Protein backbone atom coordinates (compact mmCIF):
# COMPACT_ATOMS: atom_id res chain seq x y z
CA UNK A 1 0.00 0.00 0.00
CA UNK A 2 1.28 3.46 -0.86
CA UNK A 3 0.65 6.10 1.79
CA UNK A 4 2.80 8.97 0.47
CA UNK A 5 3.82 10.68 -2.74
CA UNK A 6 6.22 13.44 -3.67
CA UNK A 7 5.50 15.69 -6.67
CA UNK A 8 7.01 18.92 -7.94
CA UNK A 9 5.17 21.79 -9.65
CA UNK A 10 6.26 22.42 -13.24
CA UNK A 11 8.01 25.77 -13.65
CA UNK A 12 7.44 28.44 -16.33
CA UNK A 13 10.55 27.11 -18.16
CA UNK A 14 9.17 23.53 -18.35
CA UNK A 15 8.84 23.67 -22.15
CA UNK A 16 12.66 23.96 -22.37
CA UNK A 17 13.03 20.38 -21.10
CA UNK A 18 14.27 17.52 -23.27
CA UNK A 19 11.75 16.19 -25.77
CA UNK A 20 11.61 14.06 -28.88
CA UNK A 21 7.81 13.95 -29.11
CA UNK A 22 7.42 16.44 -31.96
CA UNK A 23 3.94 17.33 -30.71
CA UNK A 24 4.50 21.08 -30.49
CA UNK A 25 5.23 23.42 -27.62
CA UNK A 26 3.21 22.68 -24.48
CA UNK A 27 1.12 25.29 -22.71
CA UNK A 28 2.06 26.30 -19.17
CA UNK A 29 -1.45 27.00 -17.86
CA UNK A 30 -2.77 23.70 -19.20
CA UNK A 31 0.23 21.92 -17.72
CA UNK A 32 -0.46 23.46 -14.31
CA UNK A 33 -4.12 22.45 -14.50
CA UNK A 34 -3.16 18.87 -15.40
CA UNK A 35 -0.58 18.71 -12.67
CA UNK A 36 -3.07 19.94 -10.08
CA UNK A 37 -5.57 17.30 -11.23
CA UNK A 38 -2.87 14.65 -10.88
CA UNK A 39 -2.02 15.70 -7.33
CA UNK A 40 -5.70 15.80 -6.43
CA UNK A 41 -6.19 12.29 -7.82
CA UNK A 42 -3.38 10.91 -5.66
CA UNK A 43 -4.90 12.65 -2.64
CA UNK A 44 -8.34 11.19 -3.41
CA UNK A 45 -6.71 7.76 -3.43
CA UNK A 46 -5.61 8.41 0.14
CA UNK A 47 -2.00 9.45 -0.39
CA UNK A 48 -0.39 12.22 1.59
CA UNK A 49 1.28 14.28 -1.14
CA UNK A 50 4.26 16.57 -0.60
CA UNK A 51 4.21 19.10 -3.46
CA UNK A 52 7.61 20.71 -3.98
CA UNK A 53 7.99 24.15 -5.53
CA UNK A 54 9.13 24.47 -9.15
CA UNK A 55 12.86 24.41 -9.68
CA UNK A 56 14.02 27.23 -11.98
CA UNK A 57 16.88 26.19 -14.26
CA UNK A 58 15.81 22.51 -14.14
CA UNK A 59 12.93 22.41 -16.63
CA UNK A 60 12.39 18.62 -16.32
CA UNK A 61 12.58 18.48 -12.50
CA UNK A 62 8.81 18.02 -12.11
CA UNK A 63 9.39 14.53 -13.54
CA UNK A 64 10.49 13.68 -9.99
CA UNK A 65 10.49 9.96 -10.58
CA UNK A 66 13.77 10.04 -12.48
CA UNK A 67 15.98 11.57 -9.78
CA UNK A 68 15.12 9.21 -6.90
CA UNK A 69 13.62 5.83 -6.09
CA UNK A 70 11.62 5.15 -2.96
CA UNK A 71 10.85 1.77 -1.44
CA UNK A 72 9.34 0.83 1.90
CA UNK A 73 12.84 0.56 3.36
CA UNK A 74 15.22 2.89 1.53
CA UNK A 75 15.45 5.97 -0.66
CA UNK A 76 17.91 5.87 -3.55
CA UNK A 77 19.35 8.99 -5.12
CA UNK A 78 19.85 8.21 -8.81
CA UNK A 79 22.39 9.53 -11.30
CA UNK A 80 20.28 10.74 -14.24
CA UNK A 81 21.46 9.58 -17.64
CA UNK A 82 20.86 12.91 -19.39
CA UNK A 83 23.57 15.47 -18.57
CA UNK A 84 20.97 18.24 -18.80
CA UNK A 85 19.14 16.67 -15.84
CA UNK A 86 22.14 16.25 -13.54
CA UNK A 87 21.75 18.18 -10.32
CA UNK A 88 18.08 17.28 -9.88
CA UNK A 89 19.14 14.28 -7.79
CA UNK A 90 21.22 16.45 -5.45
CA UNK A 91 18.18 18.63 -4.81
CA UNK A 92 15.99 15.57 -4.15
CA UNK A 93 18.40 14.17 -1.59
CA UNK A 94 17.23 16.16 1.47
CA UNK A 95 13.62 15.69 0.42
CA UNK A 96 13.73 11.90 0.44
CA UNK A 97 16.07 11.82 3.45
CA UNK A 98 13.11 13.06 5.52
CA UNK A 99 11.35 9.77 4.84
CA UNK A 100 13.97 7.04 4.35
CA UNK A 101 17.64 6.19 4.91
CA UNK A 102 19.61 7.03 1.77
CA UNK A 103 21.70 5.17 -0.79
CA UNK A 104 23.19 6.56 -3.98
CA UNK A 105 23.96 5.44 -7.53
CA UNK A 106 27.60 6.34 -8.15
CA UNK A 107 29.74 7.08 -11.23
CA UNK A 108 30.08 5.30 -13.71
CA UNK A 109 26.49 4.23 -13.14
CA UNK A 110 23.63 6.14 -14.66
CA UNK A 111 20.03 5.41 -13.78
CA UNK A 112 16.67 7.14 -14.23
CA UNK A 113 13.76 6.11 -12.03
CA UNK A 114 11.66 5.86 -15.20
CA UNK A 115 13.55 2.66 -15.96
CA UNK A 116 12.63 0.96 -12.69
CA UNK A 117 9.39 -0.98 -12.43
CA UNK A 118 8.47 -2.69 -9.17
CA UNK A 119 6.19 -5.71 -9.35
CA UNK A 120 5.67 -6.21 -5.64
CA UNK A 121 9.17 -6.98 -4.35
CA UNK A 122 10.70 -7.71 -7.74
CA UNK A 123 12.34 -4.89 -9.69
CA UNK A 124 12.57 -4.90 -13.47
CA UNK A 125 15.34 -2.46 -14.42
CA UNK A 126 15.52 -1.23 -18.00
CA UNK A 127 18.84 -0.73 -19.72
CA UNK A 128 18.08 2.27 -21.88
CA UNK A 129 19.52 5.48 -23.28
CA UNK A 130 19.48 6.78 -19.69
CA UNK A 131 20.30 3.72 -17.54
CA UNK A 132 23.47 1.69 -18.01
CA UNK A 133 24.52 -1.76 -16.74
CA UNK A 134 26.49 -0.28 -13.87
CA UNK A 135 23.53 1.79 -12.68
CA UNK A 136 21.21 -1.22 -12.90
CA UNK A 137 23.64 -3.48 -11.00
CA UNK A 138 24.24 -0.88 -8.29
CA UNK A 139 20.51 -0.51 -7.77
CA UNK A 140 20.02 -4.27 -7.86
CA UNK A 141 22.60 -4.76 -5.13
CA UNK A 142 21.03 -2.09 -2.94
CA UNK A 143 17.63 -3.73 -3.35
CA UNK A 144 18.95 -7.27 -2.73
CA UNK A 145 20.17 -6.14 0.68
CA UNK A 146 16.53 -5.42 1.55
CA UNK A 147 15.26 -8.77 0.25
CA UNK A 148 14.15 -7.68 -3.23
CA UNK A 149 14.88 -9.64 -6.38
CA UNK A 150 15.61 -7.93 -9.68
CA UNK A 151 16.57 -8.39 -13.28
CA UNK A 152 17.75 -6.16 -16.07
CA UNK A 153 15.68 -5.77 -19.24
CA UNK A 154 16.89 -4.35 -22.57
CA UNK A 155 14.88 -1.32 -23.72
CA UNK A 156 15.01 -1.39 -27.54
CA UNK A 157 12.95 1.75 -28.09
CA UNK A 158 11.13 4.53 -26.24
CA UNK A 159 12.69 6.77 -23.62
CA UNK A 160 12.42 4.64 -20.47
CA UNK A 161 11.34 1.10 -19.64
CA UNK A 162 8.13 2.45 -18.13
CA UNK A 163 7.42 4.34 -21.36
CA UNK A 164 6.53 0.85 -22.63
CA UNK A 165 5.89 -1.53 -19.70
CA UNK A 166 3.87 -1.08 -16.52
CA UNK A 167 2.40 -3.30 -13.85
CA UNK A 168 -1.41 -3.45 -13.72
CA UNK A 169 -1.78 -5.87 -10.81
CA UNK A 170 -1.44 -9.60 -10.19
CA UNK A 171 0.97 -11.11 -12.67
CA UNK A 172 -0.05 -8.77 -15.49
CA UNK A 173 1.96 -6.16 -17.38
CA UNK A 174 0.62 -3.59 -19.86
CA UNK A 175 3.20 -3.57 -22.65
CA UNK A 176 3.97 -2.07 -26.04
CA UNK A 177 4.28 -4.42 -29.03
CA UNK A 178 8.12 -4.21 -28.75
CA UNK A 179 7.98 -6.00 -25.39
CA UNK A 180 5.31 -8.57 -26.27
CA UNK A 181 7.96 -11.25 -26.86
CA UNK A 182 10.69 -9.99 -24.50
CA UNK A 183 12.43 -13.05 -23.01
CA UNK A 184 12.95 -11.22 -19.69
CA UNK A 185 9.18 -10.82 -19.32
CA UNK A 186 8.24 -14.38 -20.26
CA UNK A 187 6.77 -15.27 -16.88
CA UNK A 188 4.18 -12.47 -16.98
CA UNK A 189 0.77 -12.33 -18.54
CA UNK A 190 0.78 -9.40 -20.98
CA UNK A 191 -1.80 -6.99 -22.29
CA UNK A 192 -0.35 -5.64 -25.52
CA UNK A 193 -1.36 -2.10 -26.38
CA UNK A 194 -1.57 -1.36 -30.14
CA UNK A 195 1.29 0.66 -31.62
CA UNK A 196 -0.78 3.85 -32.02
CA UNK A 197 -1.57 3.84 -28.28
CA UNK A 198 1.88 3.01 -26.88
CA UNK A 199 1.82 6.18 -24.77
CA UNK A 200 -0.99 4.66 -22.70
CA UNK A 201 1.20 1.78 -21.50
CA UNK A 202 2.26 4.43 -18.99
CA UNK A 203 -0.66 3.56 -16.73
CA UNK A 204 -0.15 3.84 -13.00
CA UNK A 205 -1.35 1.36 -10.38
CA UNK A 206 -2.02 3.00 -7.02
CA UNK A 207 -3.44 0.80 -4.28
CA UNK A 208 -5.61 -1.25 -6.66
CA UNK A 209 -6.80 1.68 -8.76
CA UNK A 210 -5.47 2.32 -12.25
CA UNK A 211 -4.78 5.85 -13.47
CA UNK A 212 -4.56 5.94 -17.23
CA UNK A 213 -4.16 8.73 -19.80
CA UNK A 214 -7.40 10.01 -21.34
CA UNK A 215 -8.02 9.38 -25.05
CA UNK A 216 -6.73 5.84 -25.60
CA UNK A 217 -9.89 3.74 -26.15
CA UNK A 218 -8.19 0.47 -27.11
CA UNK A 219 -6.03 0.52 -24.00
CA UNK A 220 -9.09 1.38 -21.94
CA UNK A 221 -10.84 -1.68 -23.35
CA UNK A 222 -7.85 -3.87 -22.46
CA UNK A 223 -7.61 -2.66 -18.87
CA UNK A 224 -11.40 -2.69 -18.34
CA UNK A 225 -11.04 -6.47 -18.35
CA UNK A 226 -8.97 -6.29 -15.16
CA UNK A 227 -12.02 -5.27 -13.12
CA UNK A 228 -10.17 -2.58 -11.20
CA UNK A 229 -11.42 0.98 -10.68
CA UNK A 230 -9.99 3.19 -13.46
CA UNK A 231 -9.45 6.95 -13.43
CA UNK A 232 -8.54 8.84 -16.60
CA UNK A 233 -6.39 11.95 -16.62
CA UNK A 234 -5.64 14.42 -19.39
CA UNK A 235 -1.92 14.06 -20.21
CA UNK A 236 -1.53 16.06 -23.42
CA UNK A 237 1.01 18.55 -22.03
CA UNK A 238 3.42 16.13 -20.26
CA UNK A 239 3.15 13.92 -23.36
CA UNK A 240 4.63 16.78 -25.43
CA UNK A 241 7.65 16.59 -23.09
CA UNK A 242 8.02 12.77 -23.32
CA UNK A 243 6.59 12.35 -19.81
CA UNK A 244 3.57 10.63 -18.36
CA UNK A 245 1.73 9.54 -15.27
CA UNK A 246 4.47 7.52 -13.59
CA UNK A 247 7.15 10.23 -13.97
CA UNK A 248 5.15 12.87 -12.14
CA UNK A 249 5.47 11.36 -8.65
CA UNK A 250 7.44 9.21 -6.29
CA UNK A 251 5.06 6.81 -4.53
CA UNK A 252 5.89 5.00 -1.33
C1 LIG B 1 13.29 13.77 -20.16
O1 LIG B 1 13.53 13.59 -21.36
O2 LIG B 1 14.09 13.44 -19.28
C2 LIG B 1 11.98 14.42 -19.78
N1 LIG B 1 11.60 15.40 -20.74
C3 LIG B 1 10.89 13.37 -19.66
C4 LIG B 1 11.12 12.43 -18.52
C5 LIG B 1 10.01 11.46 -18.36
N2 LIG B 1 10.25 10.64 -17.24
C6 LIG B 1 9.85 9.39 -17.14
O3 LIG B 1 9.32 8.82 -18.09
N3 LIG B 1 10.10 8.75 -16.01
Amino acid sequence: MFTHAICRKPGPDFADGITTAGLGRPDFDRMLTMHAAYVETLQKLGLQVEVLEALPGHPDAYFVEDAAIMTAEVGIVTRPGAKARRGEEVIMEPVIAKYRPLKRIEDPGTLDGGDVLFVDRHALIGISERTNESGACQLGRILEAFGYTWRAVEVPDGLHFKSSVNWVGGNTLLVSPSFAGAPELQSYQKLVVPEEEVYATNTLLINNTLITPKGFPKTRELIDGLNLPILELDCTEPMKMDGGLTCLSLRF
Side-chain angles (χ1 to χ4, degrees), residues 14 17-20 59-60 62-66 82 85 88 112-115 130 159-160 162-163 202 238 241-244 246-248:
F14 88 109
I18 310 167
T19 182
T20 59
D60 277 323
Y62 64 105
F63 293 126
V64 280
E65 174 181 73
D66 293 320
R85 297 197 60 185
E88 290 178 26
D112 277 16
D115 281 314
R130 301 284 176 91
L159 174 57
H160 289 122
K162 283 188 290 191
S163 311
N202 195 253
M241 299 311 298
D242 287 346
T246 61
C247 343
L248 292 171

Side-chain angles (χ1 to χ4, degrees), residues 133-146:
E133 298 268 356
S134 167
C137 289
Q138 289 182 45
L139 176 63
R141 274 186 226 113
I142 293 167
L143 293 174
E144 277 171 6
F146 294 95

Side-chain angles (χ1 to χ4, degrees), residues 10 59 76 98 140 142 184 220 231:
I76 299 130
K98 289 188 293 187
I142 293 167
E184 302 96 326
R220 176 67 202 233
L231 301 171

Side-chain angles (χ1 to χ4, degrees), residues 55-251:
L55 204 57
H58 292 278
D60 277 323
Y62 64 105
F63 293 126
V64 280
E65 174 181 73
D66 293 320
I69 292 160
M70 292 293 269
T71 74
E73 303 82 0
V74 64
I76 299 130
V77 179
T78 69
R79 190 164 176 271
K83 290 227 165 67
R85 297 197 60 185
R86 290 273 165 81
E88 290 178 26
E89 75 285 11
V90 179
I91 294 158
M92 283 305 279
E93 210 175 290
V95 180
I96 64 171
K98 289 188 293 187
Y99 298 97
R100 295 287 186 269
L102 285 190
K103 297 280 182 193
R104 288 180 192 78
I105 303 299
E106 316 266 6
D107 189 24
T110 63
L111 183 119
D112 277 16
D115 281 314
V116 183
L117 176 67
F118 284 97
V119 179
D120 280 329
R121 293 184 69 81
H122 183 64
L124 294 164
I125 309 177
I127 307 291
S128 70
E129 283 174 21
R130 301 284 176 91
T131 297
N132 64 17
E133 298 268 356
S134 167
C137 289
Q138 289 182 45
L139 176 63
R141 274 186 226 113
I142 293 167
L143 293 174
E144 277 171 6
F146 294 95
Y148 291 80
T149 53
W150 67 282
R151 78 172 296 173
V153 186
E154 282 304 319
V155 178
D157 51 29
L159 174 57
H160 289 122
F161 182 55
K162 283 188 290 191
S163 311
S164 304
V165 180
N166 286 275
W167 183 40
V168 287
N171 190 40
T172 308
L173 301 177
L174 189 63
V175 305
S176 71
S178 321
F179 283 90
E184 302 96 326
L185 305 182
Q186 226 170 12
S187 61
Y188 296 94
Q189 186 183 327
K190 287 172 220 80
L191 299 177
V192 184
V193 163
E195 200 61 61
E196 70 275 17
E197 291 200 6
V198 162
Y199 179 77
T201 58
N202 195 253
T203 286
L204 177 58
L205 177 67
I206 302 266
N207 301 345
N208 273 331
T209 294
L210 290 170
I211 312 177
T212 196
K214 194 182 269 180
F216 297 89
K218 293 179 181 158
T219 306
R220 176 67 202 233
E221 220 176 286
L222 281 174
I223 60 176
D224 271 342
L226 294 166
N227 293 318
L228 292 174
I230 299 175
L231 301 171
E232 292 192 5
L233 282 179
D234 190 342
C235 291
T236 57
E237 304 314 287
M239 187 178 178
K240 291 174 187 166
M241 299 311 298
D242 287 346
L245 293 166
T246 61
C247 343
L248 292 171
S249 62
L250 283 168
R251 290 85 45 196

